């Protein structure tokens, strides 16, 4: 075993250089009070609160009058990955949170398959109130809520935006396309000051009806995983 003579300061410095360790003779002050910042910026909190209040103040919307709760978002508002679904269903309406029912359970599994969970991403919907009988939102309803969802994206400012299903795709990418053509590709988009890479994939509720499509969704999930690694998210 090599005996290290640490009583000689020169030898000690050389030893630390050798092991690539520059801590001891570094002039930088040590901040012993540095805390890991798990909090989101005050700006973001304020902007999200403001947006929530604006949506809550919508008048003359039958979706709002028929719903129990407004469903705004869930997850980590600091995340660089945002997912957008269609609209709340009955469980979401009861709990006031997106994707907590059966489709949500599958979404959780999809996220877990690429080492993500809802604490690491941020989730919202195109529409914030449950459409009666879980019907698809009408074009008029989508138009009414679209400015809010765009603002929501701008505030969260994700680097990766995952659109789950055709309602989210049509609302944010355009009506003239179908999922089978768009999925499997990254689309660069801007929402206000947010520049983001968008990927469209199948909605978990659709995958429950068409399990054969899960293999395509797996391709999309791997693309998200690889992008996340590339962007060091
Ligand atoms: N389906 C959605 O699109 N969103 C939800 O929040 C739940 C189910």
């Amino acid at each position: 075993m090599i005996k290290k003579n640490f009583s000689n300061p020169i030898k000690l410095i050389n030893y630390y250089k050798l092991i690539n360790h520059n801590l001891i003779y570094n002039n930088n002050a040590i901040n012993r009070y540095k805390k890991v910042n798990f909090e989101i910026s005050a700006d973001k909190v304020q902007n999200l609160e403001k947006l929530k209040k604006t949506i809550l103040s919508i008048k003359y919307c039958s979706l709002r009058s028929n719903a129990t709760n407004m469903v705004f978002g869930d997850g980590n508002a600091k995340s660089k990955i945002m997912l957008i679904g269609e609209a709340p269903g009955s469980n979401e309406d009861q709990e006031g949170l997106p994707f907590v029912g059966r489709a949500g359970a599958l979404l959780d599994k999809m996220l877990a398959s690429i080492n993500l969970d809802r604490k690491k991403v941020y989730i919202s919907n195109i529409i914030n109130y449950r459409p009666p009988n879980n019907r698809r939102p009408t074009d008029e309803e989508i138009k009414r809520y679209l400015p809010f969802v765009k603002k929501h994206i701008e505030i969260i400012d994700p680097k990766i935006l995952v659109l789950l299903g055709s309602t989210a795709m049509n609302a944010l990418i355009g009506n003239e396309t179908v999922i089978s053509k768009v999925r499997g590709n990254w689309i660069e988009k801007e929402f206000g000051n947010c520049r983001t890479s968008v990927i469209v994939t199948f909605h978990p509720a659709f995958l429950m009806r068409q399990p054969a499509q899960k293999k395509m969704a797996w391709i999309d999930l791997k693309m998200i995983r690889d992008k996340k690694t590339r962007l060091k998210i």
Side-chain angles (χ1 to χ4, degrees):
M1 200 175 113
I2 304 165
K3 197 164 176 230
K4 299 171 199 91
N5 180 2
F6 287 158
S7 58
N8 179 336
I10 305 297
K11 279 193 179 165
L12 181 61
I13 293 167
N14 285 340
Y15 174 68
Y16 272 109
K17 272 190 194 150
L18 194 71
I19 62 169
N20 211 10
H21 199 305
N22 64 356
L23 201 83
I24 285 225
Y25 284 91
N26 190 324
N27 283 334
N28 295 337
I30 300 169
N31 182 358
R32 296 181 198 282
Y33 300 98
K34 200 164 156 190
K35 60 172 188 198
V36 184
N37 182 17
F38 288 119
E39 285 149 29
I40 55 171
S41 75
D43 261 12
K44 210 178 229 192
V45 174
Q46 269 174 11
N47 289 337
L48 286 171
E49 275 309 309
K50 201 168 148 197
L51 178 64
K52 209 189 252 184
K53 277 193 189 141
T54 312
I55 299 171
L56 282 168
S57 70
I58 292 175
K59 290 197 175 71
Y60 315 116
C61 174
S62 63
L63 293 181
R64 185 187 165 194
S65 23
N66 286 316
T68 311
N69 282 302
M70 193 258 263
V71 177
F72 186 68
D74 190 26
N76 179 359
K78 268 176 69 177
S79 178
K80 290 289 154 207
I81 305 175
M82 181 172 184
L83 288 86
I84 300 190
E86 180 178 294
S90 141
N91 295 291
E92 290 76 19
D93 179 48
Q94 288 304 312
E95 293 196 31
L97 289 170
F99 284 101
V100 289
R102 264 164 29 92
L106 178 55
L107 181 62
D108 288 346
K109 279 191 192 162
M110 290 163 74
L111 291 173
S113 73
I114 52 167
N115 199 25
L116 285 174
D117 61 44
R118 59 175 66 220
K119 292 192 199 84
K120 291 188 194 150
V121 301
Y122 187 82
I123 310 174
S124 189
N125 281 307
I126 294 291
I127 304 281
N128 302 97
Y129 291 103
R130 179 195 181 203
N133 306 317
N134 297 344
R135 64 159 171 77
R136 261 178 105 105
T138 64
D139 287 350
E140 197 190 314
E141 287 160 351
I142 292 172
K143 214 168 137 197
R144 188 177 309 147
Y145 285 84
L146 196 55
F148 306 127
V149 74
K150 286 185 173 169
K151 190 72 200 168
H152 212 150
I153 298 169
E154 191 183 359
I155 297 170
I156 297 297
D157 194 20
K159 292 273 166 273
I160 295 176
L161 180 65
V162 185
L163 304 182
L164 300 164
S166 55
T167 300
M169 176 192 69
N170 291 146
L172 294 166
I173 304 281
N175 265 327
E176 58 294 327
T177 187
V178 287
I179 294 205
S180 51
K181 289 229 172 84
V182 176
R183 58 148 295 281
N185 295 294
W186 289 105
I187 304 163
E188 299 308 311
K189 286 264 315 163
E190 286 181 23
F191 297 95
N193 290 322
C194 163
R195 304 186 80 196
T196 187
S197 301
V198 182
I199 190 163
V200 178
T201 191
F202 295 112
H203 192 289
F206 172 81
L207 292 174
M208 290 191 306
R209 295 192 300 272
Q210 305 275 337
Q213 297 299 327
K214 283 186 183 173
K215 57 180 183 295
M216 307 309 272
W218 174 232
I219 295 173
D220 303 335
L221 286 165
K222 282 191 289 185
M223 286 179 68
I224 297 167
R225 182 189 63 191
D226 294 347
K227 183 92 161 175
K228 172 177 153 263
T229 308
R230 228 174 307 128
L231 296 178
K232 299 191 173 66
I233 292 176

